[in-house]
């Protein structure tokens, strides 16, 4: 059996969550189906775009052109060493199909039995176009099964211009699951039923298994105190960092952070009173969360791994061009942790905040069982009928 996984995964970014979700889904499927060939497809050409409204598509192209023209050279920082560590990690834990060919060519030559799109914000979109590749909208041999695992829209709504296309293309899927519970209703509103809410792939890997993955370089370890607050902040505002400094002073703990977490410059990081680490591998990132006294983040996967390791953590809103905070709110709500979604200036002291994990294990166990059942129903039961 051959399984191909299509995500936003590529070998050019330094997004910890993106790499870890890709690794997690690949490894879970390999563990569940030990005789299967599981590929993580990584490619440069994202294929054909489906234009759903010419007016909005033209505006979008103009916006992207202006963004490129306005991009300053000082937005770029050197994260080559970090990227090298990322790619070493990926090659260690995944079978990567990395090609300059477009997706159609890769799929045509591999003859997959299943193509799985997900996880991460694979179905993120803007008005006027849809990425056809991420909806698996291309010619396949008759027996291939299209599956969505923990696909995310990353938003509360689907642009009106894209609804008809999405509802039609998803009729070709053998199984559809989404990462946010809100996306079940979102798809139902455009006539797509039998959609399942499942766990992010990183939650399919146990705490003990992640502890086998984590490690820390001796030179990095020398810079990290025994007790610390770990911050993984992708937003570029000064306010979040200033409030973290206030909370850290109150509990008398140093701050450890990933400088330029998104891979681009951030003046707020330059002024941040923290121990700034740069060339941190995914394994080290896991270690830093697992060994922290507190974690403060504006990241979905920062929230997930803090939950896996039962850390005292807070999640704060990330300011961005579009609202990408729905995924974090949804995760915290579904795991009975919504009180950890906070504006930091509303917290007087970390020491006084109630970081309970009441019912979290129960909620997670149920969600993970549903996720395993979805995979079993789609693949195991399908194999019985061959």
């Amino acid at each position: 059996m051959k399984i191909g996984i299509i995500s936003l995964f590529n070998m050019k970014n330094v997004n910890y969550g993106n790499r870890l979700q890709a690794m997690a889904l690949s490894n879970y499927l390999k563990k569940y189906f030990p005789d299967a060939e599981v590929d993580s497809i990584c490619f440069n050409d994202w294929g054909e775009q489906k234009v759903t409204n010419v007016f909005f598509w033209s505006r979008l192209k103009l916006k992207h052109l202006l963004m490129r023209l306005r991009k300053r050279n000082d937005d770029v920082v050197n994260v080559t060493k970090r990227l090298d560590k990322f790619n070493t990690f990926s090659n260690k834990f995944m079978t990567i199909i990395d090609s300059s060919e477009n997706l159609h060519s890769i799929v045509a030559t591999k003859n997959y039995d299943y193509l799985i799109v997900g996880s991460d914000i694979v179905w993120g979109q803007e008005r006027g176009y849809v990425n056809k590749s991420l909806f698996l909208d291309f010619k396949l041999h008759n027996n291939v099964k299209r599956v969505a695992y923990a696909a995310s829209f990353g938003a509360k709504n689907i642009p009106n211009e894209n609804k008809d296309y999405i509802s039609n293309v998803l009729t070709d899927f053998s199984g559809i699951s989404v990462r946010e519970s809100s996306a079940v209703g979102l798809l139902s509103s455009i006539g797509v039923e039998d959609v399942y809410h499942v766990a992010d792939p990183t939650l399919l890997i146990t705490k003990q298994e992640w502890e086998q993955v984590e490690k820390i370089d001796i030179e990095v370890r020398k810079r990290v105190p025994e007790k610390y607050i770990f911050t993984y902040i992708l937003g570029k505002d000064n306010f979040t960092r200033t409030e973290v400094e206030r909370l850290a002073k109150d509990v008398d703990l140093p701050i450890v952070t990933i400088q330029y977490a998104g891979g681009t410059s951030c003046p707020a990081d330059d002024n941040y009173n923290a121990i700034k680490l740069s060339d941190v591998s995914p394994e080290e990132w896991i270690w830093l969360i697992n060994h922290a006294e507190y974690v403060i983040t504006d990241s979905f996967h920062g929230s997930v791994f803090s939950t896996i390791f039962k850390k005292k953590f807070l999640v704060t809103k990330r300011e961005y061009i579009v609202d990408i905070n729905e995924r974090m709110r949804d995760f915290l709500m579904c795991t009975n942790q919504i009180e950890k979604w906070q504006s930091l200036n509303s917290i007087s002291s970390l020491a006084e905040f109630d970081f309970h994990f009441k019912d979290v294990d129960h909620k997670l166990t149920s969600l993970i069982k549903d996720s395993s059942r979805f995979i079993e129903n789609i693949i195991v039961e399908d194999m019985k009928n061959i």
Side-chain angles (χ1 to χ4, degrees):
M1 176 172 62
K2 293 184 179 182
I3 302 173
I5 303 171
I6 296 171
S7 184
L8 296 176
F9 164 68
N10 66 63
M11 303 287 275
K12 296 181 179 180
N13 71 40
V14 287
N15 184 311
Y16 292 95
N18 176 269
R19 292 296 178 107
L20 290 167
Q21 62 82 25
M23 172 270 194
L25 183 56
S26 173
N27 279 255
Y28 181 80
L29 291 171
K30 287 177 181 178
K31 182 173 69 173
Y32 208 105
F33 307 106
D35 296 326
E37 177 184 322
V38 181
D39 294 338
S40 297
I41 301 174
C42 171
F43 50 92
N44 299 318
D45 180 2
W46 284 102
E48 182 183 355
Q49 306 294 332
K50 170 67 177 179
V51 178
T52 60
N53 184 291
V54 174
F55 172 72
F56 287 113
W57 171 244
S58 299
R59 288 181 59 185
L60 181 64
K61 288 195 293 183
L62 177 60
K63 184 178 80 171
H64 287 175
L65 175 61
L66 291 174
M67 287 173 64
R68 285 197 297 271
L69 291 174
R70 291 171 183 167
K71 187 173 178 63
R72 300 175 302 173
N73 290 331
D74 61 358
D75 284 338
V76 180
V77 293
N78 188 348
V79 291
T80 302
K81 290 183 179 179
R82 192 193 309 181
L83 183 60
D84 287 344
K85 288 186 174 184
F86 267 63
N87 292 342
T88 298
F89 168 84
S90 297
N91 285 312
K92 178 180 178 180
F93 289 103
M94 292 184 277
T95 301
I96 298 169
I97 304 300
D98 188 1
S99 175
S100 59
E101 298 179 68
N102 63 36
L103 178 60
H104 302 68
S105 299
I106 296 170
V107 171
T109 58
K110 292 296 290 185
N111 291 319
Y112 291 112
D113 299 294
Y114 296 90
L115 276 178
I116 301 177
V117 59
S119 173
D120 225 340
I121 310 179
V122 288
W123 288 346
Q125 57 202 272
E126 296 188 54
R127 300 185 72 177
Y129 87 102
V130 172
N131 189 311
K132 294 179 67 174
S133 298
L134 293 173
F135 281 93
L136 308 185
D137 184 12
F138 37 73
K139 291 181 179 180
L140 299 170
H141 63 82
N142 292 335
N143 295 326
V144 71
K145 302 294 192 300
R146 294 172 171 89
V147 178
Y149 183 82
S152 174
F153 288 95
K156 294 180 180 179
N157 54 64
I158 299 171
N160 288 331
E161 296 78 18
N162 302 344
K163 290 179 178 179
D164 287 343
Y165 171 80
I166 291 172
S167 63
N168 288 330
V169 76
L170 291 182
T171 61
D172 291 330
F173 277 62
S174 299
I176 302 171
S177 65
V178 289
R179 193 177 67 182
E180 283 77 52
S181 61
S182 56
V184 176
L186 200 59
L187 286 172
S188 178
S189 71
I190 61 171
V192 181
E193 304 295 345
D194 297 323
V195 177
Y196 297 85
H197 175 222
V198 297
D200 185 82
T202 54
L203 289 164
L204 301 179
I205 309 298
T206 67
K207 173 180 179 289
Q208 291 73 25
E209 288 171 325
W210 282 122
E211 287 176 335
Q212 293 299 310
V213 173
E214 71 171 30
K215 68 176 184 179
I216 191 76
D217 181 83
I218 189 169
E219 294 304 315
V220 177
R221 183 67 185 88
K222 288 177 181 177
R223 297 189 60 200
V224 179
E226 285 301 314
K227 295 185 177 183
Y228 59 92
I229 297 172
F230 179 63
T231 63
Y232 180 58
I233 302 172
L234 293 164
K236 297 191 174 186
D237 61 289
N238 286 298
F239 171 78
T240 300
R241 292 161 177 81
T242 300
E243 287 300 306
V244 172
E245 290 171 1
R246 175 182 64 82
L247 294 170
K249 184 177 181 181
D250 177 69
V251 292
D252 194 25
L253 285 175
I255 304 165
V256 175
T257 196
I258 306 293
Q259 188 175 25
Y260 309 141
T264 58
S265 69
C266 176
D269 268 355
D270 297 334
N271 300 319
Y272 193 21
N273 184 20
I275 298 168
K276 300 164 188 172
L277 306 177
S278 179
D279 303 322
V280 174
S281 70
E283 299 100 318
E284 291 169 325
W285 184 82
I286 298 169
W287 189 95
L288 288 165
I289 291 178
N290 192 18
H291 291 79
E293 292 294 305
Y294 300 93
V295 177
I296 299 177
T297 186
D298 61 359
S299 152
F300 173 83
H301 283 103
S303 310
V304 169
F305 277 89
S306 296
T307 299
I308 290 171
F309 293 120
K310 289 188 170 62
K311 306 311 297 184
K312 297 176 180 178
F313 74 99
L314 293 174
V315 185
T316 186
K317 182 178 181 180
R318 189 195 318 170
E319 298 295 338
Y320 197 60
I321 300 170
V322 295
D323 184 7
I324 58 173
N325 296 289
E326 175 65 20
R327 51 188 176 154
M328 291 180 284
R329 284 192 296 262
D330 189 277
F331 171 72
L332 294 173
M333 182 71 74
C334 290
T335 54
N336 197 37
Q337 301 183 93
I338 192 61
E339 77 285 348
K340 293 169 185 170
W341 174 260
Q342 290 286 341
S343 178
L344 296 184
N345 63 349
S346 69
I347 305 295
S348 59
S349 170
L350 291 175
E352 296 174 5
F353 193 86
D354 181 15
F355 291 97
H356 75 79
F357 278 86
K358 182 181 179 182
D359 294 334
V360 174
D361 283 343
H362 173 72
K363 295 278 189 180
L364 279 178
T365 298
S366 176
L367 182 58
I368 291 167
K369 283 183 178 179
D370 289 343
S371 306
S372 297
R373 192 176 300 117
F374 171 80
I375 292 173
E376 180 175 341
N377 288 343
I378 294 299
I379 299 180
V380 176
E381 292 302 316
D382 188 58
M383 288 174 64
K384 292 179 181 178
N385 296 324
I386 295 177

